Amino acid sequence: MNYPVRARTSFAADLHAGLALTRRSVSPKYFYDDIGSRLFEQICELPEYYPTRSELGLLRAHAAEMAECMGPRAQLIEYGAGALRKVRFLLDRLESPQAFVPLDISGAHLLAACDELQQDYPALCIAPVVADFTQPHDLPPRPAPGSGGRRVGFFPGSSIGNFTPEEAQDFLRMAAQELRGGGLLIGIDLIKDPAVLHAAYNDAAGVTAAFNLNLLERARRELGAEFDADGFFHSAFYNAPLQRIEMHLMSRRRQALLLDGVPYQFDAGQTLHTENSYKYSVAGFQAQAARAGFRPGPVWTDEREWFGLLWLQSPP
């Protein structure tokens, strides 16, 4: 019941901290209020945005193999669950799953998606957890010894790319322990032509721009932040040396953003860094996962090798 209050408090504290930095930044997890979550679902349908279509194609073609890796009577944990569209391919192929546990920070969006999923899978035990999965969180008990099932994870959508290398390593270490005895199916966006990346994050319809700008609008709605209505614009580009897309909100002019009465001065061209999206090679990501305790398993990529789904075996 008090999650929204905690969430607002966390948002305010993190935004103050990020605005106080010399290079201002805020976590991309704050994109995903109800409006942001809906905008992201629209992004996934855009012609320029290849990751969702690529990943859905892989799930459609190889879900049976992926489900075989997970095994019968699995307790399936989905990190950053969102609209619960992709997991349906696995649920259709899994043998007698014990439970499905979706984790997401956007509570209303998650619960609505769970209600819809339950209608289509009435026999499935669905136990949603509204939480920031990068922070300590509670999960239902593991499958009982002798039940024949394992706890396994699903982290689609290349969301791991939003983490810094250090944050990604922290997540992988956490997941390796949380999924001990099971494994993790994870999506990664692969290194490719920067022109393809630029188009994906600067779509002609302006949906990604609206998604980015909604972060400040959320601060206005929830925290009472004050800033010029047209004071910022969306900027996204590929940083080749760091192998990542960067998204920023760039100030159009000299202005002050007011948060809880505290003024944060922006010069023209100064930015608030809102997201990174790192791109990986398969071998590089497998090596990173191995440092967290995983063993590499099967890999599925599309024919252009733009996107990959990797099975990682957890420690025993």
Side-chain angles (χ1 to χ4, degrees):
M1 292 293 290
N2 61 351
Y3 172 78
V5 175
R6 295 201 309 272
R8 284 194 296 273
T9 301
S10 175
F11 184 22
D14 287 352
L15 189 54
H16 275 296
L19 288 169
L21 297 171
T22 303
R23 296 183 178 180
R24 291 169 168 164
S25 65
V26 65
S27 170
K29 69 186 179 184
Y30 294 115
F31 282 138
Y32 298 98
D33 64 344
D34 291 343
I35 293 174
S37 294
R38 288 196 295 271
L39 284 168
F40 185 71
E41 294 306 317
Q42 292 177 38
I43 289 171
C44 292
E45 302 295 331
L46 293 169
E48 300 96 331
Y49 195 75
Y50 62 86
T52 301
R53 284 191 304 279
S54 300
E55 188 171 38
L56 287 173
L58 292 173
L59 287 164
R60 194 174 288 113
H62 302 289
E65 302 159 46
M66 298 168 186
E68 187 174 351
C69 289
M70 294 180 170
R73 297 193 53 75
Q75 181 192 70
L76 178 59
I77 313 295
E78 182 174 358
Y79 299 101
L84 306 182
R85 179 182 176 189
K86 297 168 185 173
V87 75
R88 291 169 180 261
F89 291 94
L90 296 175
L91 293 174
D92 288 342
R93 296 290 190 167
L94 281 170
E95 181 183 342
S96 305
Q98 289 190 32
F100 172 52
V101 185
L103 281 79
D104 202 272
I105 197 171
S106 180
H109 190 70
L110 174 64
L111 297 177
C114 285
D115 287 343
E116 185 176 339
L117 187 73
Q118 192 74 81
Q119 293 177 27
D120 294 335
Y121 297 84
L124 179 65
C125 174
I126 303 175
V129 176
V130 179
D132 175 358
F133 64 85
T134 67
Q135 302 298 318
H137 52 265
D138 294 324
L139 292 177
R142 293 176 181 274
S147 67
R150 306 184 298 167
R151 178 184 281 176
V152 297
F154 182 41
F155 192 21
S158 72
S159 296
I160 189 73
N162 296 149
F163 300 163
T164 66
E166 295 77 19
E167 290 168 341
Q169 198 65 24
D170 287 344
F171 168 78
L172 289 169
R173 287 194 194 98
M174 179 275 296
Q177 295 305 310
E178 198 160 73
L179 304 171
R180 289 188 76 90
L184 174 66
L185 181 65
I186 188 167
I188 60 170
D189 199 6
L190 300 174
I191 297 166
K192 61 184 65 64
D193 185 342
V196 175
L197 295 170
H198 180 83
Y201 290 84
N202 293 278
D203 61 277
V207 183
T208 308
F211 174 71
N212 197 9
L213 288 161
N214 179 64
L215 191 149
L216 284 181
E217 290 301 323
R218 179 183 181 185
R220 189 200 303 276
R221 290 190 299 269
E222 295 184 12
L223 308 178
E226 300 176 39
F227 52 90
D228 292 350
D230 66 341
F232 293 86
F233 64 91
H234 164 73
S235 174
F237 56 90
Y238 185 58
N239 184 330
L242 297 180
Q243 296 180 338
R244 72 188 189 191
I245 282 281
E246 294 185 16
M247 289 215 314
H248 296 252
L249 291 166
M250 183 176 290
S251 181
R252 294 183 183 275
R253 61 186 73 91
R254 184 171 174 80
Q255 62 176 310
L257 185 153
L258 214 62
L259 182 63
D260 295 330
V262 179
Y264 294 98
Q265 191 69 45
F266 279 81
D267 292 326
Q270 192 171 3
T271 73
L272 176 64
H273 188 173
T274 53
E275 183 181 71
N276 292 318
S277 184
Y278 283 85
K279 311 307 170 186
Y280 292 98
S281 68
V282 169
F285 190 81
Q286 286 178 326
Q288 184 173 356
R291 291 193 293 273
F294 286 104
R295 287 189 292 109
V299 176
W300 300 271
T301 64
D302 62 290
E303 60 184 20
R304 295 176 296 190
E305 297 191 344
W306 282 6
F307 194 91
L309 277 164
L310 283 62
W311 175 251
L312 304 171
Q313 190 71 38
S314 302

